[in-house]
């Protein structure tokens, strides 16, 4: 990536210097800057940190956007339609929409989602469960961090929040109905037992 090469050049560091200061090998850093393959986002972010950028936040945002664009081009997902959260009605719909958003964003790895999810990071284990359809965000804060990681346009966030509330309300209503059914069933069973045992010398 030319941006990474420029950052390294401005810092006056060699690949050997990066290897001494960082967590990866010289070959890993050189490969990340070569442009021949798409590096892990975590590696790109580490290079920025090692190079001591003054505007680290702005450079990190730019690098993330460049990485995301490259990832989408590599995956051929740059023309996929953006999910429409206003049509989400239940947990299955929310799960499908989040997975569609993940694909729209270029299908970043769970580790990349953790790295891109902002100050309230989504753990990679949680991200993995969401993108595999095994779980939903536990809170609206987790949802918003996931939206940030997947570069969902800010003007869609309120629709996602509304969808989250609808799903939570539907879940609560379903749980209430289930508990009510169980209580009514037990009451009818109790009455039936009393009717059968009425007038008998039951040992209980």
């Amino acid at each position: 990536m030319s941006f990474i090469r420029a950052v390294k050049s401005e810092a006056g560091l060699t690949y050997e210097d990066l290897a001494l200061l960082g967590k990866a090998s010289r070959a890993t850093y050189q490969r990340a800057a070569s442009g021949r393959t798409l590096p892990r986002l975590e590696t790109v972010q580490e290079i920025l940190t090692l190079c001591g950028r003054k505007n680290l936040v702005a450079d990190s945002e730019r690098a993330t956007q460049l990485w995301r664009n490259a990832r989408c081009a590599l995956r051929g997902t740059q023309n996929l339609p953006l999910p429409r959260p206003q049509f989400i009605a239940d947990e299955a719909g929310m799960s499908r929409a989040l997975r569609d958003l993940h694909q729209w964003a270029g299908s970043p790895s769970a580790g990349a989602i953790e790295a891109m999810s902002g100050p309230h990071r989504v753990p990679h284990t949680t991200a993995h469960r969401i993108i595999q359809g095994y779980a939903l965000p536990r809170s609206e804060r987790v949802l918003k961090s996931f939206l940030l990681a997947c570069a969902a346009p800010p003007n869609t966030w309120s629709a996602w929040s509304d969808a989250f509330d609808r799903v939570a309300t539907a879940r609560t209503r379903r749980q209430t109905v289930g508990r009510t059914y169980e209580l009514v069933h037990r009451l009818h069973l109790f009455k039936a037992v009393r009717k059968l045992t009425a007038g008998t010398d039951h040992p209980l």
Side-chain angles (χ1 to χ4, degrees), residues 189-204:
L189 183 61
F190 176 71
K191 288 182 177 179
V193 171
R194 287 197 62 181
K195 185 175 181 180
L196 288 173
T197 59
T200 64
D201 187 14
H202 199 280
L204 296 179

Side-chain angles (χ1 to χ4, degrees), residues 148-203:
L148 176 64
C150 291
N155 62 358
T156 67
W157 283 35
S158 60
W160 282 102
S161 293
D162 291 342
F164 183 86
D165 291 340
R166 284 196 303 275
V167 170
T169 300
R171 184 190 304 118
T172 300
R173 185 181 300 115
R174 186 172 63 253
Q175 291 172 345
T176 301
V177 170
R179 286 194 295 267
T180 301
Y181 173 83
E182 180 67 20
L183 289 172
V184 171
H185 175 72
R186 290 185 179 184
L187 179 60
H188 283 304
L189 183 61
F190 176 71
K191 288 182 177 179
V193 171
R194 287 197 62 181
K195 185 175 181 180
L196 288 173
T197 59
T200 64
D201 187 14
H202 199 280

Side-chain angles (χ1 to χ4, degrees), residues 4-49:
I4 295 301
R5 291 196 296 273
V7 166
K8 184 187 74 67
S9 178
E10 288 177 16
L13 296 177
T14 65
Y15 295 115
E16 287 80 3
D17 294 332
L18 293 176
L20 288 172
L21 295 170
K23 301 176 182 177
S25 66
R26 175 191 181 280
T28 297
Y29 294 124
Q30 187 169 10
R31 188 165 51 249
S34 69
R36 291 192 295 271
T37 60
L38 184 66
R40 295 177 61 194
L41 180 61
E42 299 92 319
T43 302
V44 174
Q45 301 287 12
E46 185 188 4
I47 292 174
L48 293 178
T49 301

